[in-house]
Amino acid sequence: MTIKVIINGAAGRMGQEAVKAVSEDKQFTLVAATGRQDDLAAKIKETHAEVVVDLTNAHSVYTNSKIIIENNAHPVIGSTGLTPAQISELQAICAQKKLGGIIVPNFSIGAVLMMRYAKDAAKYFNHAEIIEMHHDGKLDAPSGTALKTAQLIEENKKNAFQQTEKELLPGSRGAVYETTHIHAVRLPGLVAHQMVIFGGHFETLTIKHDSIHRAAFMPGLVLACKKVNALSTLFYGLEHLLD
Ligand SMILES: NC(=O)c1ccc[n+]([C@@H]2O[C@H](COP(=O)([O-])OP(=O)(O)OC[C@H]3O[C@@H](n4cnc5c(N)ncnc54)[C@H](OP(=O)(O)O)[C@@H]3O)[C@@H](O)[C@H]2O)c1
């Protein structure tokens, strides 16, 4: 028995890689590759899809997630841009239905490890800033990964980071999540990159991760599609499936 999978946003940059990865894995049957023109609810019903991967954009991810959940397919949400309130709402609906799913702001295993190491380093440093860099087609900023890294740093730091600067040009110091600054760069030529820089007493620690091709996201995506039907609620982050 194979797992029936739909890739939504299949014609996009990530979608095309996902179609390839799922089609090449013998544990899956790709039952549909959908896009903006398709009725996603009808496709799920028609194909009896068990897992739907959403790789669309920040504008449509919330609506798509609801459609997937309402039609009792396991969501694997790769699109970024869901707000914390939307994530909580989707988690409540999944809990009520006892439906397993996962929201994955970053499918790259290296990026998940970067977040894990940053979380640990936050306990030992009193200053940290995040620089994330993505291709110019990315619609949302900061990236879901940068936001999640900032959340982990804030949860684990022992002391409040100092905020003493005066901005001569508004925005010069980037966005601030609680006390962690996030700088977002958007340029053609980039794929997905992040640095977390910790400042200490006459030393810095830089944790850096680069995805140099979208194929880097596929092992994590395949893992999520294989494990999602064993979950009974909606998780946030690939780390829940790694160990
Ligand atoms: N989780 C991760 O590891 C990871 C990694 C990279 C990117 N991402 C995220 O994945 C998403 C896709 O990225 P991308 O670079 O592949 O974007 P993209 O190239 O713009 O592809 C998005 C695709 O979704 C389609 N689409 C838009 N609205 C839709 C809707 N309502 N229903 C169905 N399809 C729809 C688009 O069609 P049109 O061309 O007609 O608009 C396009 O084919 C983004 O949110 C990005 O931030 C996640």
Side-chain angles (χ1 to χ4, degrees):
M1 283 286 280
T2 56
I3 304 166
K4 296 191 182 83
V5 181
I6 291 178
I7 307 292
N8 191 38
R13 288 164 288 209
M14 281 289 283
Q16 289 180 45
E17 285 294 332
V19 164
K20 194 163 160 261
V22 167
S23 305
E24 285 171 357
D25 193 310
K26 289 192 170 56
Q27 290 189 40
F28 300 125
T29 303
L30 182 70
V31 291
T34 51
R36 196 189 284 281
Q37 71 287 352
D38 294 298
D39 179 338
L40 183 58
K43 275 284 176 205
I44 296 171
K45 288 191 189 104
E46 180 193 318
T47 60
H48 304 288
E50 296 159 270
V51 175
V52 180
V53 183
D54 191 77
L55 293 166
T56 57
N57 59 39
H59 302 308
S60 63
V61 56
Y62 174 68
T63 307
N64 294 339
S65 302
K66 278 193 113 167
I67 292 171
I68 298 163
I69 294 165
E70 277 161 10
N71 286 280
N72 300 312
H74 297 285
V76 172
I77 307 302
S79 308
T80 54
L82 283 171
T83 65
Q86 288 172 336
I87 293 170
S88 299
E89 189 197 329
L90 296 171
Q91 284 175 323
I93 304 170
C94 280
Q96 208 172 28
K97 290 170 91 76
K98 294 193 170 51
L99 182 72
I102 189 153
I103 299 165
V104 185
N106 199 322
F107 284 116
S108 147
I109 290 165
V112 174
L113 293 177
M114 169 190 62
M115 286 186 264
R116 182 183 287 181
Y117 302 148
K119 176 181 172 182
D120 187 40
K123 288 187 273 182
Y124 305 98
F125 286 86
N126 288 338
H127 306 266
E129 303 218 0
I130 298 169
I131 305 173
E132 59 97 329
M133 304 189 291
H134 284 82
H135 60 89
D136 57 337
K138 185 165 175 61
L139 292 183
D140 49 321
S143 71
T145 302
L147 206 49
K148 176 129 201 217
T149 310
Q151 282 164 357
L152 292 171
I153 290 171
E154 289 292 330
E155 280 164 25
N156 287 281
K157 71 183 189 192
K158 295 269 190 277
N159 299 300
F161 297 155
Q162 287 165 12
Q163 306 289 319
T164 50
E165 65 275 343
K166 178 181 171 195
E167 284 185 328
L168 299 179
L169 194 62
S172 330
R173 295 285 292 111
V176 188
Y177 177 83
E178 295 184 7
T179 61
T180 301
H181 289 247
I182 306 177
H183 311 267
V185 178
R186 296 290 176 267
L187 285 173
L190 294 168
V191 181
H193 317 261
Q194 181 168 298
M195 273 194 287
V196 190
I197 310 173
F198 291 91
H201 188 62
F202 290 94
E203 65 174 346
T204 61
L205 170 69
T206 303
I207 303 171
K208 182 168 183 283
H209 175 259
D210 299 283
S211 301
I212 57 167
H213 189 277
R214 287 179 184 84
F217 300 113
M218 295 307 124
L221 185 146
V222 163
L223 178 79
C225 291
K226 285 181 183 169
K227 289 199 171 178
V228 70
N229 56 8
L231 305 176
S232 54
T233 185
L234 182 64
F235 284 88
Y236 179 71
L238 192 70
E239 63 277 16
H240 295 287
L241 303 182
L242 277 191
D243 297 317

